[in-house]
């Protein structure tokens, strides 16, 4: 939907700039982009800054977010910074593409995420969580690295559900590859900001390039294997192989299919895993909430193993996961670039402007959330949810580019929490919670070690 600019002359074209040191911003972006957010975005509806000669608009007001991401979606593209950081691995897949190329890819894969299809995937999610629980049982006493464990579980699920098992790809190596690729993204964002040439070396670049080459060639083998041994499964691989552009009738090249498999594997497991890791840390620090979750799971399952049917009934457990993603949104910042001028509130935003929606700041905003740092799952009761603007909470983004896997992720997270918490609680090892650091996704700044306590 395109919104006409009503009357140009009444719109403001001069922006109240908040001063920001370019060097300071660059250093913060490399270390932790959350520290590069202008502090006033936690209290103000929008903030304009100028870094390296470029104006940026930060949006935290849900009304303005709706106006930008939903009403003016056609005026916005993902922009050079996103493409520069993620393009080498994800190419022009669903997350990074724009315009018509994005649209036909989104339509091609939508079927995988239909509600009835997702329900069919639930037993796979439960089974993967059971394998994790059994692995912990076998290991016996001793600390576990929760982020790592959750990554392994959600990776298992994404490969199993989207690629029907992935035909023998090396799961451990693929996992490490994704981490190696994401680690130096602070550098790619910072260098993009000052328009440095793309060949400039930076720490971790060599490892990231090698990781991407390995990941892409592993997925290429998956496609070749499926082309040689076709079957009629309704998984993502087959959807991509049979997709055809309604305008041109063309099908996807192997490189385009690899772009999308890379996209779904990366976007589809890290995020949920981190949301879960933060949830376990919060539960360990809030025994009253933990008790309520355990009681709900025990009451729902009556001592028998968790089934797919139980998952949708665990209402409080879902609220806990939602509140964990408010405090620690796995995708903490999204950005856009204006492809053409458009009206935003009382301003006329010129073509080329970079728009930043700091989901992390929206979720901690002083005017949107009472006691924003307090962990309180009851914020997601129907009454409290209905009393808020829809875009005060947006862990999955908003508008046509909203996360395609959002229902998948919530279903998966609740299934994993239910299966694990039915047998085991996790106790915190460190007295203080870790600090969140953004590396595209929101990770703990140190290993999140916890102790399993069997129930
Ligand atoms: C808790 C888990 C997850 C979170 C917090 C999350 C968050 C997000 C956000 C914020 C976006 C929008 C990015 C933007 O507007 O620039 C997005 C897009 C996307 N997500 Fe997720 N995601 C999660 C899980 C998943 C899963 C499980 C999948 C796949 C199975 C997935 C696949 C994607 C894809 C393909 C896109 C691009 C959609 C498009 O542009 O059309 N995500 N995600």
């Amino acid at each position: 939907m395109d919104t006409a600019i009503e009357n140009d002359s009444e719109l403001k074209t001069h922006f109240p700039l908040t001063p920001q040191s370019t060097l300071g911003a660059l250093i913060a972006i490399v270390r932790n982009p959350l520290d590069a957010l202008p502090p006033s975005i936690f209290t103000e509806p929008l903030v304009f800054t100028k870094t390296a000669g470029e104006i940026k608009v930060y949006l935290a007001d849900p009304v303005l977010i709706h106006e930008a991401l939903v009403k003016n979606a056609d005026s916005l593209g993902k922009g050079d910074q996103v493409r520069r950081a993620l393009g080498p691995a994800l190419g022009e897949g669903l997350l990074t593409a724009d315009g018509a190329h994005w649209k036909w890819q989104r339509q091609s894969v939508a079927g995988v995420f239909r509600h009835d299809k997702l329900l069919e995937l639930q037993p796979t999610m439960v089974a993967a969580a059971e394998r994790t629980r059994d692995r912990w049982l076998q290991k016996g006493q001793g600390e576990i690295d929760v982020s790592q464990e959750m990554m392994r579980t959600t990776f298992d699920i994404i490969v199993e559900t989207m690629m029907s098992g992935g035909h023998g790809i090396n799961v451990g190596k693929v996992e490490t590859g994704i981490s190696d690729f994401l680690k130096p993204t602070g550098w790619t964002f910072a260098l993009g900001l000052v328009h440095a040439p793309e060949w400039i070396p930076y720490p971790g670049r060599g490892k990231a390039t090698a990781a991407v080459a390995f990941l892409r060639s592993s997925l290429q083998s998956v496609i070749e294997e499926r082309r040689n041994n076709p079957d009629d499964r309704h998984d993502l691989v087959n959807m991509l192989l049979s997709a055809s552009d309604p305008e041109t009738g063309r099908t996807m090249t192997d490189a385009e299919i690899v772009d999308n498999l890379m996209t779904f594997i990366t976007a589809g497991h890290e995020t949920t895993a981190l949301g879960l890791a933060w949830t376990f840390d919060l539960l360990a620090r809030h025994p009253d909430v933990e008790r309520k979750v355990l009681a709900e799971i025990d009451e729902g399952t009556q001592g028998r193993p968790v089934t797919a049917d139980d998952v949708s009934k665990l209402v409080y457990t879902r609220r806990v996961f939602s509140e964990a993603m408010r405090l620690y949104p796995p995708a903490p910042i999204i950005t856009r670039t204006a492809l053409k001028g458009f009206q935003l509130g009382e301003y006329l935003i010129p073509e080329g402007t970079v728009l930043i929606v700091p989901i992390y700041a929206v979720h901690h905003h002083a005017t949107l959330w009472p006691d924003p740092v307090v962990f309180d799952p009851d914020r997601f009761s129907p009454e409290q949810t209905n009393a808020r603007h829809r875009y005060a909470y947006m862990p999955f983004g908003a508008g046509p580019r909203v996360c395609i896997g959002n229902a998948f992720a919530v279903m998966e997270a609740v299934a994993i929490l239910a299966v694990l918490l039915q047998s085991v609680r996790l106790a915190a090892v460190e007295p203080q919670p870790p600090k969140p650091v953004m590396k595209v996704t929101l990770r703990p700044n140190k290993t999140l070690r916890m102790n399993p306590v069997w129930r």
Side-chain angles (χ1 to χ4, degrees):
M1 199 196 332
D2 208 350
T3 312
I5 298 177
E6 296 273 310
N7 187 349
D8 260 22
S9 58
E10 287 173 14
L11 294 176
K12 295 186 186 169
T13 51
H14 281 96
F15 310 122
L17 291 176
T18 298
Q20 198 180 35
S21 123
T22 302
L23 184 64
L26 290 178
I27 293 172
I29 287 173
V30 172
R31 286 197 189 138
N32 183 5
L34 291 185
D35 295 339
L37 293 175
S40 50
I41 198 60
F42 288 83
T43 48
E44 299 293 327
L46 86 169
V47 173
F48 295 94
T49 63
K50 200 170 182 181
T51 322
E54 232 169 36
I55 294 192
K56 289 199 170 54
V57 192
Y58 291 81
L59 298 181
D61 177 359
V63 175
L64 294 178
I65 290 173
H66 177 242
E67 207 170 313
L69 294 184
V70 185
K71 288 197 196 156
N72 284 285
D74 287 350
S75 309
L76 303 173
K78 287 280 173 137
D80 284 345
Q81 276 199 43
V82 170
R83 216 154 286 129
R84 186 168 174 158
L86 301 179
L90 310 185
E92 290 268 315
L94 187 60
L95 185 77
T96 30
D98 274 332
H101 191 50
W102 163 75
K103 199 165 185 177
W104 83 279
Q105 297 190 79
R106 177 112 185 177
Q107 285 164 350
S108 302
V109 297
V112 177
F113 295 94
R114 273 204 339 248
H115 184 65
D116 54 331
K117 290 279 161 218
L118 293 186
L119 290 179
E120 287 173 18
L121 304 179
Q122 274 192 4
T124 309
M125 298 171 173
V126 169
E130 286 172 346
R131 283 196 293 280
T132 297
R133 178 201 59 203
D134 296 346
R135 200 167 58 239
W136 293 357
L137 261 175
Q138 259 182 2
K139 183 176 172 287
Q141 293 298 312
E143 290 169 5
I144 54 161
D145 172 348
V146 189
S147 315
Q148 186 63 36
E149 288 292 328
M150 291 302 107
M151 296 274 178
R152 193 158 164 195
T153 315
T154 55
F155 188 80
D156 222 18
I157 292 174
I158 203 82
V159 172
E160 205 49 56
T161 55
M162 298 287 131
M163 294 160 51
S164 304
H167 312 284
I169 60 168
N170 185 335
V171 173
K173 247 183 119 183
V174 167
E175 262 250 52
T176 320
I178 293 175
S179 269
D180 287 345
F181 153 64
L182 288 177
K183 255 179 226 153
T185 44
W187 282 99
T188 41
F189 276 117
L191 293 167
L193 193 72
V194 291
H195 304 289
E198 301 227 4
W199 50 261
I200 284 209
Y202 49 82
R205 182 177 184 143
K207 225 172 169 184
T209 310
V212 168
F214 166 75
L215 292 169
R216 293 192 63 101
S217 78
S218 301
L219 294 173
Q220 177 65 37
S221 330
V222 171
I223 299 169
E224 277 160 19
E225 155 80 26
R226 191 66 71 88
R227 281 202 201 281
N228 293 337
N229 301 295
D231 58 45
D232 56 3
R233 277 185 284 227
H234 280 283
D235 68 358
L236 183 70
V237 180
N238 274 351
M239 287 251 178
L240 294 168
L241 281 167
S242 62
S244 84
D245 185 337
E247 274 175 27
T248 61
R250 81 171 181 94
T251 52
M252 283 189 204
T253 61
D254 277 10
E256 286 170 335
I257 299 179
V258 170
D259 286 350
N260 278 301
L261 291 179
M262 279 289 285
T263 299
F264 277 88
I265 290 183
T266 324
H269 93 285
E270 269 252 342
T271 40
T272 320
L274 290 167
L276 282 163
W278 289 112
T279 304
F280 278 114
D281 184 70
L282 285 162
L283 284 177
R285 295 176 198 283
H286 297 85
D288 46 334
V289 174
E290 188 182 53
R291 262 193 301 278
K292 281 170 84 172
V293 173
L294 298 180
E296 181 182 69
I297 295 168
D298 291 348
E299 198 180 314
T301 56
Q302 298 290 325
R304 55 167 176 72
V306 174
T307 64
D309 283 346
D310 297 325
V311 175
S312 61
K313 297 181 191 134
L314 299 173
V315 179
Y316 187 72
T317 310
R318 188 165 326 119
R319 279 181 209 167
V320 167
F321 184 62
S322 299
E323 174 68 344
M325 288 200 297
R326 181 186 70 81
L327 285 170
Y328 300 108
I333 297 179
I334 58 180
T335 59
R336 295 288 188 274
T337 300
L339 303 172
K340 52 188 174 189
F342 72 98
Q343 179 178 345
L344 182 68
E346 51 183 348
Y347 295 99
L348 178 61
I349 301 296
E351 182 186 329
T353 307
V354 173
L355 260 86
I356 298 181
V357 182
I359 297 175
Y360 183 84
V362 176
H363 287 185
H364 288 82
H365 204 274
T367 65
L368 300 173
W369 303 93
D371 301 323
V373 295
V374 172
F375 175 60
D376 174 12
D378 291 334
R379 296 180 200 269
F380 292 89
S381 66
E383 304 74 48
Q384 291 201 42
T385 304
N386 291 337
R388 264 193 312 268
H389 191 290
R390 178 173 171 190
Y391 296 121
Y393 180 68
M394 45 175 306
F396 296 108
R401 304 300 300 255
V402 71
C403 177
I404 197 168
N406 63 3
F408 179 108
V410 173
M411 197 181 265
E412 171 185 30
V414 175
I416 294 172
L417 287 170
V419 171
L420 294 177
L421 290 170
Q422 192 184 36
S423 307
V424 61
R425 292 173 38 240
L426 295 181
V429 171
E430 300 281 346
Q432 292 300 323
K435 189 175 175 289
V437 177
M438 179 175 167
K439 297 279 169 207
V440 181
T441 47
L442 197 68
R443 295 167 167 241
N445 68 336
K446 48 187 170 187
T447 310
L448 192 50
R449 291 173 299 130
M450 298 187 87
N451 267 317
V453 181
W454 296 93
R455 298 181 64 207

